[in-house]
Amino acid sequence: MAGALMVAGGCSSVSIPTGDGGKVKVANDGSSVNVTTADGGQGTVTVNGDQKGVTFQGTDAQGNTSSLQIGEAGSLPDGLPKEIPFPDNAVITASMATENNGQKSYTVTFEAEQSIEDVTKLYQGYLQSSGYANTTETKMADLSMLSGEKDGFSLSVTITADAEKKGSVSGMVVYGALKQ
């Protein structure tokens, strides 16, 4: 096997057959791995060096597609509407974009040195001023959940008070197409 990899070193990728009739193909620079199953399903894992993230893409034998893009902490996923607010001093701790048969959704987690009341007011104001309908809100002492729907998309926000750092919160914003 080592000899095969050395010989293939000048190629753009290395293809390795699997015992079930599928194959694994590794890019020469190690930036991606492609897997093809015996029934025609395909999957790719790509390391996005420039974007400092990882993308997973797949297509099953029936042609249904899915993708997941996980970005570097500190960055918002491509495609997330820019008008969705985040607290001024928010630190983005994780972000993710997914697509399943053309239906896109985005998840962002953050931390901020603000009170749960202030961050809740930020999202209450945004949902109201941006015309979201079917809004819901649940409040407890250390938890606030808000959601709404607009133009075929939903926005859900969960905010929790940080028990260890008074005056700080953790939050999660999920935005995606409503199921059809």
Side-chain angles (χ1 to χ4, degrees):
M1 182 69 135
L5 292 175
M6 287 176 60
V7 169
C11 300
S12 62
S13 64
V14 175
S15 186
I16 304 165
T18 62
D20 64 356
K23 66 180 176 180
V24 175
K25 189 174 180 182
V26 180
N28 192 38
D29 64 0
S31 65
S32 67
V33 175
N34 298 308
V35 177
T36 303
T37 62
D39 66 357
Q42 296 184 350
T44 304
V45 178
T46 306
V47 177
N48 306 320
D50 293 347
Q51 299 171 346
K52 298 182 180 174
V54 177
T55 302
F56 301 87
Q57 295 176 307
T59 305
D60 67 16
Q62 291 75 40
N64 299 310
T65 60
S66 295
S67 68
L68 168 65
Q69 179 182 13
I70 302 173
E72 174 185 35
S75 64
L76 296 173
D78 292 337
L80 178 73
K82 303 282 186 229
E83 66 270 8
I84 295 175
F86 289 88
D88 290 336
N89 62 350
V91 174
I92 305 302
T93 55
S95 66
M96 177 172 62
T98 60
E99 183 175 344
N100 189 5
N101 293 322
Q103 300 290 311
K104 294 184 179 185
S105 65
Y106 307 90
T107 302
V108 177
T109 60
F110 66 89
E111 294 176 351
E113 291 185 16
Q114 289 188 18
S115 70
I116 192 168
E117 294 82 13
D118 288 345
V119 177
T120 299
K121 286 178 189 173
L122 171 72
Y123 288 103
Q124 285 171 329
Y126 174 72
L127 288 168
Q128 186 176 32
S129 67
S130 298
Y132 278 82
N134 300 323
T135 57
T136 61
E137 185 174 338
T138 303
K139 283 188 188 179
M140 293 178 231
D142 292 335
L143 174 69
S144 183
M145 296 183 295
L146 304 102
S147 66
E149 299 174 358
K150 177 181 168 186
D151 300 331
F153 289 86
S154 68
L155 175 66
S156 298
V157 180
T158 304
I159 308 156
T160 56
D162 189 325
E164 294 177 14
K165 289 175 26 180
K166 296 295 180 200
S168 294
V169 296
S170 296
M172 181 169 63
V173 173
V174 179
Y175 179 82
L178 293 167
K179 295 187 187 226
Q180 298 177 352

